C-alpha cells in the first residue's frame, strides 16, 4: 500500500508541475507577443509577474477559504503547511 501512496504522490507532483508550467508558458507567450508589438518592457514584466502570481495562488487561496468556511481546521493546517506558511522564519 505504501508504494501506491508513493505513486499517487509522484503523479500529483507531475500534474502540479505540468499545470504550473502551462500557466507559465501561456503568460510568457503573451508577454513576448506584447514586447514584439512594442509594449513597454517594464509594464510587460510587471503584468507578467502579477498575472503569474495570481494564477498560481488562486487554487490554494480557494482551498484555504473553503477549509476555513467549512470549519475544517486540520485541512486548513495541512494546506498552510504545504504552502510553507507555518514554517519558522
Amino acid at each position: 500500500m505504501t508504494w501506491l501512496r508513493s505513486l499517487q504522490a509522484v503523479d500529483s507532483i507531475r500534474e502540479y508541475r505540468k499545470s504550473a508550467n502551462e500557466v507559465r508558458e501561456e503568460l510568457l507567450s503573451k508577454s513576448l507577443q506584447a514586447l514584439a508589438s512594442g509594449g513597454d518592457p517594464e509594464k510587460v514584466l510587471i503584468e507578467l509577474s502579477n498575472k503569474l502570481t495570481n494564477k498560481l495562488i488562486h487554487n490554494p487561496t480557494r482551498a484555504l477559504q473553503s477549509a476555513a468556511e467549512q470549519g475544517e481546521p486540520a485541512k486548513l493546517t495541512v494546506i498552510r503547511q504545504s504552502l510553507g506558511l507555518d514554517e519558522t522564519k
Side-chain angles (χ1 to χ4, degrees):
M1 204 54 121
T2 302
W3 64 269
L4 180 59
R5 285 191 298 265
S6 179
L7 183 60
Q8 289 171 332
V10 169
D11 288 345
S12 295
I13 292 166
R14 283 187 184 138
E15 286 178 46
Y16 185 61
R17 285 184 181 273
K18 181 179 183 240
S19 175
N21 279 319
E22 287 171 354
V23 168
R24 179 188 55 81
E25 289 171 9
E26 172 195 348
L27 295 176
L28 178 58
S29 176
K30 288 179 181 179
S31 296
L32 291 172
Q33 288 174 0
L35 289 172
S37 298
D40 179 325
E42 184 176 351
K43 288 181 181 179
V44 170
L45 285 174
I46 290 169
E47 184 176 351
L48 171 64
S49 66
N50 287 334
K51 286 185 176 181
L52 183 60
T53 299
N54 289 337
K55 284 192 176 243
L56 293 177
I57 69 170
H58 178 74
N59 287 332
T61 300
R62 285 182 48 206
L64 286 165
Q65 289 172 333
S66 175
E69 289 169 0
Q70 299 296 320
E72 299 176 297
K75 187 175 183 180
L76 186 60
T77 298
V78 168
I79 296 167
R80 287 183 55 82
Q81 288 173 341
S82 68
L83 295 172
L85 299 176
D86 290 333
E87 296 175 2
T88 55
K89 296 182 182 190

